[in-house]
Structures are given as C-alpha cells and as structure tokens.
Amino acid sequence: MSARLLGEILVHDFGLDPDEVSRALQVQKEDSRRIGEILSTLGSVSPRDLAAALARQFGYPFLEERIDDDKIDLELLSRVPVSYAKQRMILPM
C-alpha cells in the first residue's frame, strides 16, 4: 500500500477544505516549499494538526501532550543513539 499524500490526510482526517489544498498546490508551483509549510503559512492548518498529519503519513505515533524540557533527562537522552530511538520509536525521558 502506498503512503497517503499529506493533503489527502488533512482533508479526510482533519477536515481541511479541499480548496485550501488546491490553493496551496498552486502556490507550490511558484514556490519550492513543501505543501505543509505552505498550508501553515496560509493559516489553513495549525502546527499541531500538521504535525499529527505528518506523523500519520509516515506511520509514527503522535504525542498529544507537550513535554516540558525539565522532565527530559539529558544524560539518559545522550546515552541512547538516535538510530536506536528512531528504529524503536522511543523517546528516552
């Protein structure tokens, strides 16, 4: 199964108006930015919804809550290789 397009996810799963995606695609013809960045700049999609849609597109879980910086153990974080964390989709805290 092929990955869904970001615009499709935003329309079907997040209620974005298809005309907004069309508008962003028109802008993209003159601009080299990614569609999500254009939609965000136009105010068509919130940063939270964009992040959630991108996570869905790539099959990653999306953390709904913001993590306070003081709750992250920097020593632990530095001991876990990035490749290991990405492969297992973990965030050492």
Side-chain angles (χ1 to χ4, degrees):
M1 183 171 117
S2 63
R4 291 168 57 199
L5 297 173
L6 181 61
E8 178 185 332
I9 293 168
L10 288 166
V11 168
H12 293 287
D13 300 354
F14 292 86
L16 182 65
D17 187 326
D19 290 339
E20 293 292 321
V21 174
S22 296
R23 178 177 169 205
L25 290 170
Q26 288 299 317
V27 170
Q28 193 179 44
K29 288 180 181 179
E30 305 293 324
D31 191 326
S32 62
R33 292 178 298 160
R34 294 177 185 245
I35 191 76
E37 184 179 352
I38 295 169
L39 287 165
S40 180
T41 300
L42 293 172
S44 302
V45 64
S46 70
R48 183 243 171 248
D49 285 350
L50 178 58
L54 285 166
R56 191 168 295 175
Q57 182 181 33
F58 292 104
Y60 290 114
F62 180 72
L63 184 62
E64 294 286 337
E65 297 177 21
R66 180 172 178 344
I67 300 170
D68 293 328
D69 293 343
D70 62 339
K71 291 184 180 178
I72 297 174
D73 183 339
L74 296 178
E75 182 181 341
L76 175 62
L77 189 61
S78 70
R79 297 176 79 194
V80 178
V82 172
S83 60
Y84 181 88
K86 284 183 177 181
Q87 183 180 28
R88 288 166 179 76
M89 293 191 290
I90 62 168
L91 177 62
M93 296 177 46

